[in-house]
């Protein structure tokens, strides 16, 4: 089977750093993706890790360790607009975790 | 920018009706996907297609079928709508099978 596990909720303070973890069990793993979804909106692609290591895109970074079947999304300098749900996804076609709802508080 | 357009934002249908959800993408992507999204369950894959005329079942295909007669259009069909198919339906397309998906805005379907 294919499954990805991530925390259901995370709360963090504006300006802080937050890490959202994702562990997976998938066959034929091809890499780990991250998507952001605001309430009422469509999921939007954030990042993709095909290889082990850290990928950085502005305030967002994503990490993958294949040997540990683990990855994370790191959000720095949190802003209120970062309040959203974040999904990790793996395999092909994409199978998603159930999502982590991030609340950024003042 | 890639655009994935879903024909309806909100739909209300009666139990037993045949329902068509349309999805069109404008970037010549080979790969298209249908997901449903429910609170606490995340996004679950219903069907996908890697080429015109090709379709494959995802994790929850029961009660659904799809059609892909043209590369840009991927339709989801509920053969006989039931209340447990009330959900948000999301279409996506991608140049890659495993990443870089672009999602449409979704269709919120209510079956009464």
């Amino acid at each position: 089977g294919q499954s990805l596990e991530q925390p259901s909720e995370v709360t963090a303070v504006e300006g802080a750093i937050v890490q959202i973890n994702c562990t997976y069990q998938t066959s034929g793993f091809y890499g780990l993706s991250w998507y952001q979804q605001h309430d009422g909106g469509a999921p939007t692609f954030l990042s993709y890790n095909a290889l082990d290591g850290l990928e950085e895109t502005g305030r967002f970074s994503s990490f993958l360790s294949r040997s540990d079947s683990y990855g994370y999304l790191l959000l720095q300098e949190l802003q209120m607009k970062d309040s959203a749900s974040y999904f990790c996804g793996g395999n092909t076609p994409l199978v998603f975790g159930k999502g982590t709802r991030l609340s950024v508080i003042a | 920018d890639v655009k994935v357009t879903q024909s309806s934002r909100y739909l209300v249908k009666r139990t037993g009706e045949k329902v068509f959800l349309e999805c069109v993408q404008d970037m010549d992507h080979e790969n298209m996907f249908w997901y449903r999204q429910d609170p606490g369950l995340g996004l679950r894959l219903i069907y996908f297609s890697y080429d015109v005329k090709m379709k494959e079942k995802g994790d929850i295909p029961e009660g659904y079928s799809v059609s892909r007669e043209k590369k840009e259009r991927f339709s989801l069909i509920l053969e006989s709508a039931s209340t447990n198919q009330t959900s948000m339906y999301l279409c996506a397309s991608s140049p890659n099978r495993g990443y870089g998906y672009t999602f449409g805005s979704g269709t919120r379907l209510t079956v009464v």
Side-chain angles (χ1 to χ4, degrees):
Chain A
Q2 305 155 4
S3 67
L4 297 97
E5 299 291 330
Q6 53 183 130
S8 58
E9 292 183 357
V10 172
T11 300
V13 177
E14 190 177 17
I17 299 173
V18 71
Q19 179 174 312
I20 300 174
N21 298 321
C22 176
T23 58
Y24 62 86
Q25 294 180 347
T26 66
S27 57
F29 183 75
Y30 289 97
L32 194 68
S33 297
W34 289 93
Y35 287 76
Q36 178 192 60
Q37 186 180 30
H38 288 99
D39 286 347
T44 56
F45 173 67
L46 289 177
S47 68
Y48 173 67
N49 293 69
L51 303 173
D52 285 4
L54 192 68
E55 294 281 344
E56 297 181 72
T57 308
R59 294 188 297 115
F60 292 5
S61 303
S62 57
F63 172 82
L64 175 64
S65 169
R66 289 173 174 268
S67 59
D68 296 323
S69 297
Y70 163 76
Y72 64 73
L73 179 69
L74 191 74
L75 294 82
Q76 303 182 73
E77 301 172 16
L78 279 173
Q79 302 175 10
M80 301 299 285
K81 68 178 182 180
D82 297 329
S83 293
S85 293
Y86 293 84
F87 296 88
C88 60
N91 216 333
T92 175
L94 274 179
V95 174
F96 290 94
K98 293 183 179 179
T100 299
R101 187 169 186 87
L102 170 65
S103 298
V104 179
I105 59 175
Chain B
D1 279 353
V2 176
K3 197 165 187 181
V4 178
T5 303
Q6 295 184 231
S7 53
S8 303
R9 187 76 172 109
Y10 299 95
L11 272 181
V12 180
K13 296 292 182 181
R14 294 196 179 277
T15 302
E17 277 194 77
K18 191 169 186 176
V19 181
F20 293 85
L21 303 183
E22 305 289 343
C23 175
V24 178
Q25 51 96 2
D26 65 0
M27 281 299 288
D28 203 33
H29 287 168
E30 298 285 344
N31 312 298
M32 297 189 75
F33 313 88
W34 275 105
Y35 291 85
R36 65 175 282 179
Q37 184 173 27
D38 301 286
L41 297 178
L43 292 91
R44 293 180 291 166
L45 182 65
I46 306 172
Y47 266 95
F48 62 98
S49 170
Y50 287 156
D51 199 357
V52 177
K53 304 286 186 178
M54 177 267 187
K55 56 189 177 184
E56 291 284 345
K57 294 179 180 179
D59 297 322
I60 52 164
E62 295 78 19
Y64 304 94
S65 63
V66 289
S67 172
R68 193 162 182 206
E69 296 295 320
K70 293 185 177 181
K71 191 176 187 178
E72 67 271 19
R73 186 179 297 270
F74 192 35
S75 302
L76 180 69
I77 303 157
L78 286 68
E79 297 291 343
S80 177
S82 64
T83 54
N84 63 12
Q85 293 178 309
T86 291
S87 186
M88 171 68 85
Y89 290 87
L90 290 160
C91 175
S93 76
S94 175
N96 309 292
R97 294 185 176 185
Y99 68 96
Y101 291 15
T102 299
F103 284 85
S105 299
T107 296
R108 185 165 293 282
L109 173 68
T110 302
V111 182
V112 298

